[in-house]
Every structure is written in structure tokens, then in C-alpha cells.
Amino acid sequence: MTRPGDQGPEDDGPPPALEPTETERAMWEAFRTGTTLDLRAPRPEDNVPSAARTWGPERSVRAEVMALLLLNGPAPRPGRVAALKLKGVRITGTLDLSGGTVVPYVELHQCRFDQQLLLPESTFTTLRLVGCSLPRLEAARIRTEGDLHLPRCVIPHGIRLTDAHIGTDLLLNQLVVRKDRRGLSIAADGMTVGQDLQAEMMRSQGELSLRGATIGASLSLRGSTLDNPYGRRALNAPQLTVERTLYLTSAGIGGARFAGGATPPFGIATYSPGRTGRERPFECLGGVRLDDGRFGDAVDLSEARFVMEADQELSLRRVQTPELRFLGDRVEQGRVVLSGARVVNLVDRFDSWPGPGGLAMAGFAYENLIPLGHFPLSRRLEWVAAATPEYAPEPYERLAGALRTSGEDADARAVLLAKQRRRRETLPLAGKAWGHLQDWTVAYGYKPGRAAVWMAVLWALGALWFSWHPLPPIKEGEGPVWNPELYTLDLLLPVIDLGQGGAWRPGGGTQWIVAALTLLGWILATTVAAGASRMLRRQ
């Protein structure tokens, strides 16, 4: 640790033309030796960068001196590695490193910037700002070979990382950031992160924009709160690519221990079930857009909470991922849109899905259903009905296919029967009447056993009637011997001729009995044939 006044010879210090202060000389010497200049006060409350307390000149360095040190600093002391490590330092003026190349390692803890930090087009090896306060970070197209860390920082006027290239990890844990003049809290469109982007327990006020960003490993927003009362979306990330998992889940707090030190991760809560503590959910106040995203392992929405207005959406249009874990709180307003999305495993709970009118999933393709908790077929049908205020066959057929894949053939047939009943509501009066008849008799062919039962009942009634009312032959002495059972069966089977139907002459009221049995036989045969053809098409 180095304190003011421990500088080396005058010719090793900052240029005399800058009229350096004792603190700046101390920073210069600490840079040459790679040690930390710690100017923190004894009382912790005096070291909060975002507080209103004044930091005097004894804790201040000028931005122009720091820029000279980083861009064209002195050689390190023999046997040492040059690095800028500061704690509890105030930087006055605007630190402008635009377009510059900063080779030394930079790590600032609990430092206060009076003006915005300008880093567009700059290049760093590793840059770590931990628990610092700065009005704004302007870093479009910044490049780092290693990490960029901003944990526990307070940035009231936004961050710009458009088209940035982060070599390894981007850490934003417990960051507090508010909107800029365009309503954006973090503008990171087109950004590339080599490994993880961790923004756990972050507080964002404004729109977090990650359009077209690419994350080489996982993107974690565990326990974060995204709030945008100024626009439609709190998270706007279409065409986002995450090679592993997107976590919009809860994080452990209370009994958690925060990692520290000079190596990552900074500010990450390590939580284990054995500790006393509680969970902070991911909370989004505003719309979410993840359209056309690609996620290599999963999209995890466990314990997530989305609070939206009626015209806002949690939009997952055309998302592709092996697993979607839809396990958050029920969305009370707005819509969940899964149109065109493609997943392999859908892990969900019934009470996570919105009610009627709050879900759209036209073209939503999934292969396996993995429900958590009680999710009977009746509620799964309510889930489909909620997504189709107007009849659409595809969601029913998709559900039936997933159930059939898992071996639930009876449930699959029940879903297809529900589809036919829903379709019947759209038909004209004659179609509805015919549909009700098919449903009542053989359940549209999905319960063919009903046809056999009806056939047996009609055959028994007909045989009993004709036993009491035998028919005279058309020609005396010709034709078969009278058999009421065979005669009834000949009437009921419209295709098969048993030689009885044309040999006897019905008269009086018996003619109506014959006509009714013949008509009912045709109806039963037609509905059974329709059901069989549907089954063959499914095969």
C-alpha cells in the first residue's frame, strides 16, 4: 500500500509542467511499482462514492494526469509490473481515453468520477471498476483482451457499450444504472462477450438494449430488477445469441457471502441451501423482447416476475433453445408470445401461464412436455384454449403429438377430440347438428367402442321387435327362412348383404322401424369410417 508522499525522485514523477500534487505523485509511483494507492478514510460512511459527502484535494487526482499515466506512463520499477490500482480516490475533470490503447492492468475500487468516463474505440487488457460512482460510461466499440468489470457501481446517466468486444467476462453484478437522454440504461447492441455476462442483482432504470449481442457462455440476470417506466420495453434483446443459458431467475441474498479480491467474480452472491437467507426474484417492470434469439442450453424463467401494461409483451417469437423453463409468476397483464418458437423440452407449471387472451403460440413447436407440480390434461387443454381465443387446430395437434411421443395415447386422443369439439363451434347450424351427433355416438371416431355398443343396443331392440312382428315374404315359398336377428343385422350393416333385407315386405308402422334402423346403421358406419381415416392419417 502506498500513501501520499512516498514518491520517488522528482525525475521519475509526473511532468513538472502539470504541477502535480502530492496525491498525483503518489499515484505515479504506485503505478510504477504495481501497488495500490489507498486513500480511503477510516470511517466507512466517508468512503461511499455516490454519497453527498465531499472528498477533498488530499483524495483527488486530475483526469489529465491519469490519462497521461495510462496512455504514456513511465516504465515500471525493475522487477515490478506497472498497474493502476486505486481505492477511495476522486477523479476530477473528464477522463478521456477515446481511441487509446491502455496496456497496464487497471483496477479502481470505491472511486468517484466527477465527470463522465470516455472510452470509445479504446483498447484495454483488463478494466475493473468496483463500487465506483461515475455520471456516465461512454464506451462504444471498446475492446478488452480480458475482463470488463463494473460491479456495485452507480451510474446515473447510462452506459454505452455498442459494438463492444469483451475478451472474457463482463460483470455488472449489483450495478445501479439509470437512463440516458434516449431512455436507455445500457446500450449494448452488437456487443460480443467471449465468456459470461453476469448482471446479477442489478438495478436498471430505463431500457436494457442487447440487440444482436453475442455471449460466448451464459447470460445471468439472477435477482435483477429491470424497470422502464419511460417506454414499452425494459429488456430489448432481439437476435440475441447465448451459447449456453439465459438466466432470468432468483438469486440468494441475506445469508449470502460476496466474493472479493482481485480476481473475478466481484459481487457475486454465493448461496447454498444450508445457509439462512432468502431469494430475490428476477423482476421486470415493462415489456421484454427476445425475438429470434438463439440459446444453446436453455432459457430459464424460474421464479421470474413480469409486470406489464396491457399493451406490453413478453415476446419470445421464433426463439430456438433446447429447453424453456417457464416457471415464473403468472403474468396478470400484457401477453406472452411464443409464436414460431422452437424448443425441445418445455418445463412449465400451470399457474405460470396467463389466462385467456394473454397467451399467443401460433407455430410454437415443442417435443417433450415436462410439467412441474399438478398439471392434469384438463388444465393443459385450458392452456391451449387460452392461447386460441379463435379456433386454430395447430396448438391441439402439437399437444397431441407431444403426448403421443411420451406414450400418452389416450390423452392424445382426448386432445384431438377437444379439437373437434372446438371446431364444431365455428360451423353453421347443420354442421353443428352433425357434429353433435358424431360426438354423441362415437366421439368423432376417437372412441370407436361406442359404435359397437350402439350397434349392439339397436340390434337387440330390432331383433326383439321383429320377433314380435314377423314380416311376410315378398314371394310365398321363396327366399330364406325368417330370422329376426339376421334381418335386423342386415338393416344395420349398410355394406354387407346377408340376404335378408330384400326378401321380406314391411308394412304399416314397421316401415318406419326399418327406415330408422337403416339410417342409424349408415350414420354409425359413416362416423366409424371418419374416425378410422383420421387414425390412419395420424399414423
Side-chain angles (χ1 to χ4, degrees):
M1 180 186 302
T2 307
R3 300 293 299 181
D6 294 338
Q7 70 275 12
E10 185 170 331
D11 58 353
D12 290 336
L18 291 176
E19 299 181 358
T21 65
E22 291 298 314
T23 303
E24 290 167 350
R25 290 181 183 275
M27 177 180 68
W28 202 273
E29 179 60 23
F31 174 84
R32 298 194 66 185
T33 59
T35 55
T36 300
L37 176 63
D38 190 346
L39 301 182
R40 290 178 296 179
R43 297 193 309 170
E45 58 269 25
D46 293 332
N47 296 316
V48 179
S50 58
R53 296 176 183 270
T54 301
W55 291 11
E58 73 282 358
R59 299 181 63 176
S60 302
V61 297
R62 289 172 292 171
E64 58 181 316
V65 177
M66 183 179 286
L68 178 63
L69 189 62
L70 291 173
L71 297 175
N72 194 24
R77 294 292 184 188
R80 308 304 292 267
V81 177
L84 182 62
K85 301 178 182 179
L86 305 177
K87 290 185 177 181
V89 176
R90 173 190 175 196
I91 296 92
T92 62
T94 300
L95 181 58
D96 188 351
L97 302 175
S98 303
T101 298
V102 178
V103 176
Y105 172 87
V106 180
E107 182 174 318
L108 309 182
H109 284 253
Q110 293 180 282
C111 292
R112 174 187 292 181
F113 290 79
D114 286 356
Q115 303 295 328
Q116 64 178 332
L117 178 56
L118 300 178
L119 306 177
E121 307 280 356
S122 60
T123 301
F124 284 79
T125 49
T126 291
L127 174 60
R128 290 173 175 161
L129 306 179
V130 181
C132 296
S133 173
L134 55 156
R136 174 172 171 78
L137 174 60
E138 181 67 44
R141 296 173 295 283
I142 188 176
R143 296 183 67 87
T144 69
E145 296 178 11
D147 300 338
L148 173 59
H149 291 184
L150 299 169
R152 301 195 293 278
C153 288
V154 177
I155 306 178
H157 298 295
I159 299 173
R160 188 181 180 197
L161 292 169
T162 305
D163 297 318
H165 180 86
I166 311 303
T168 51
D169 296 331
L170 173 60
L171 265 65
L172 307 176
N173 298 313
Q174 294 182 283
L175 172 71
V176 176
V177 57
R178 301 183 181 89
K179 70 178 182 71
D180 62 11
R181 290 176 296 178
R182 298 186 299 156
L184 302 176
S185 60
I186 301 178
D189 298 344
M191 178 179 66
T192 300
V193 179
Q195 296 182 19
D196 291 321
L197 195 170
Q198 294 190 2
E200 301 183 354
M201 291 190 280
M202 178 179 71
R203 296 291 178 267
S204 167
Q205 189 176 69
E207 181 181 299
L208 169 56
S209 183
L210 293 168
R211 295 183 298 176
T214 300
I215 312 301
S218 294
L219 168 54
S220 176
L221 288 162
R222 292 184 178 98
S224 292
T225 297
L226 310 182
D227 181 10
N228 185 14
Y230 316 104
R232 286 179 53 83
R233 300 183 182 94
L235 174 60
N236 187 21
Q239 298 180 322
L240 173 65
T241 299
V242 178
E243 294 297 330
R244 297 189 64 183
T245 300
L246 170 64
Y247 294 100
L248 305 181
T249 64
S250 61
I253 59 174
R257 175 180 57 83
F258 290 95
T263 56
F266 285 115
I268 296 178
T270 56
Y271 182 78
S272 63
R275 291 204 180 115
T276 58
R278 57 192 179 89
E279 294 285 305
R280 175 181 290 170
F282 169 81
E283 188 173 43
C284 184
L285 287 73
V288 176
R289 185 186 179 200
L290 295 171
D291 299 348
D292 301 295
R294 300 294 182 268
F295 305 92
D297 287 347
V299 175
D300 193 346
L301 307 181
S302 301
E303 308 303 327
R305 181 170 178 257
F306 298 94
V307 180
M308 298 183 288
E309 300 295 333
D311 61 342
Q312 294 174 333
E313 295 179 341
L314 167 56
S315 180
L316 299 166
R317 291 177 173 88
R318 299 174 297 280
V319 160
Q320 294 187 23
T321 181
E323 186 163 288
L324 172 61
R325 302 168 193 157
F326 201 89
L327 302 169
D329 294 347
R330 184 189 295 271
V331 176
E332 300 297 340
Q333 286 196 91
R335 291 202 312 161
V336 176
V337 183
L338 289 163
S339 302
R342 302 183 67 85
V343 305
V344 178
N345 298 324
L346 176 58
V347 185
D348 62 348
R349 292 198 315 257
F350 172 73
D351 56 2
S352 293
W353 295 105
L359 176 62
M361 56 181 188
F364 175 39
Y366 51 90
E367 296 180 18
N368 304 307
L369 290 171
I370 307 175
L372 295 185
H374 186 57
F375 206 153
L377 182 61
S378 60
R379 296 206 162 179
R380 187 65 76 177
L381 290 173
E382 292 177 17
W383 172 65
V384 175
T388 52
E390 296 182 358
Y391 167 71
E394 193 273 337
Y396 289 93
E397 293 167 358
R398 180 67 61 184
L399 175 57
L403 292 171
R404 199 159 39 244
T405 299
S406 61
E408 303 290 341
D409 290 338
D411 285 349
R413 289 193 297 271
V415 171
L416 294 174
L417 175 58
K419 182 191 79 168
Q420 292 296 331
R421 288 171 174 167
R422 185 79 183 280
R423 175 179 174 272
R424 185 174 66 210
E425 299 172 2
T426 67
L427 300 177
L429 184 59
K432 288 180 179 178
W434 174 244
H436 279 292
L437 184 58
Q438 290 189 85
D439 193 0
W440 185 55
T441 54
V442 291
Y444 286 96
Y446 293 109
K447 296 181 180 179
R450 283 191 186 180
V453 173
W454 279 110
M455 189 71 75
V457 170
L458 293 174
W459 174 76
L461 292 175
L464 185 62
W465 173 267
F466 291 118
S467 295
W468 293 344
H469 303 83
L471 301 181
I474 294 177
K475 294 183 180 180
E476 289 291 341
E478 297 183 8
V481 176
W482 170 247
N483 187 319
E485 291 82 7
L486 283 178
Y487 182 73
T488 304
L489 194 58
D490 208 353
L491 295 176
L492 290 171
L493 298 176
V495 178
I496 301 174
D497 184 5
L498 301 178
Q500 290 281 338
W504 311 99
R505 185 176 65 250
T510 303
Q511 294 182 78
W512 294 103
I513 300 296
V514 170
L517 290 173
T518 303
L519 180 61
L520 290 172
W522 273 105
I523 291 173
L524 288 172
T526 302
T527 53
V528 169
S533 66
R534 278 194 290 269
M535 292 180 68
L536 289 173
R537 283 197 302 270
R538 292 197 302 273
Q539 296 297 328

